[in-house]
Amino acid sequence: MFGISGGELFFIAIIALIVLGPERLPKVARMAGMWVRRARNQWDSVKDELERELAAEELKRSLHDAKSALQDTEQRIRDSGAEARREFEQMRASVREPDASADASAPTSDEAASDEPASPSKPQEGQGDEPRNA
């Protein structure tokens, strides 16, 4: 335990018996045992309290890590949602633009009438009096 062998313990017991005497030695042994027991109990109490504090600190650390991971995940989800929303709005705008440009480029009834030849005397392409070169 403390590096004391059995022979040394026997020697200490003989010296204690000579110094204290046979009447007081049992009382002193009981008192020494009680103090050793109290010291062990105190040491165990301190050790248990220290282990509880370390476990609580570890629990707090893991809770903090989980909380930060959850916040990171939440932020990534929000960013993805915002990006999806932007892409959706771009798609919606691109779908609306061709409709608007198709409406703008489609001839109106006045424009359709102006596309027809104004005079029938003017020959259209390929309808002239000249022969074609084949």
Side-chain angles (χ1 to χ4, degrees):
M1 187 162 88
F2 294 106
I4 299 174
S5 67
E8 291 172 342
L9 283 175
F10 182 70
F11 182 70
I12 292 171
I14 297 290
I15 298 294
L17 182 61
I18 293 172
V19 171
L20 296 174
E23 293 89 29
R24 292 191 338 191
L25 185 60
K27 289 180 185 176
V28 171
R30 269 183 256 150
M31 289 296 287
M34 182 184 69
W35 285 106
V36 168
R37 194 170 32 257
R38 283 186 182 177
R40 280 187 188 164
N41 288 340
Q42 286 295 327
W43 174 251
D44 288 341
S45 173
V46 168
K47 189 172 80 171
D48 289 342
E49 185 176 337
L50 184 61
E51 287 175 356
R52 278 193 305 269
E53 287 179 16
L54 289 175
E57 186 66 32
E58 181 64 30
L59 183 61
K60 285 179 186 177
R61 187 176 16 260
S62 67
L63 184 62
H64 181 270
D65 292 346
K67 184 177 179 181
S68 65
L70 181 62
Q71 287 173 345
D72 290 344
T73 304
E74 180 182 9
Q75 186 61 38
R76 276 191 251 129
I77 289 171
R78 286 182 186 193
D79 292 344
S80 297
E83 184 178 342
R85 208 172 291 120
R86 279 192 303 271
E87 289 179 9
F88 179 73
E89 291 300 325
Q90 287 175 350
M91 292 176 87
R92 180 185 285 176
S94 68
V95 166
R96 286 182 181 171
E97 281 181 15
D99 290 344
S101 63
D103 290 343
S105 66
T108 61
S109 61
D110 295 336
E111 291 174 351
S114 68
D115 284 347
E116 296 177 8
S119 64
S121 63
K122 192 177 199 182
Q124 292 184 357
E125 187 177 323
Q127 292 181 354
D129 294 336
E130 297 147 12
R132 287 190 198 168
N133 291 337

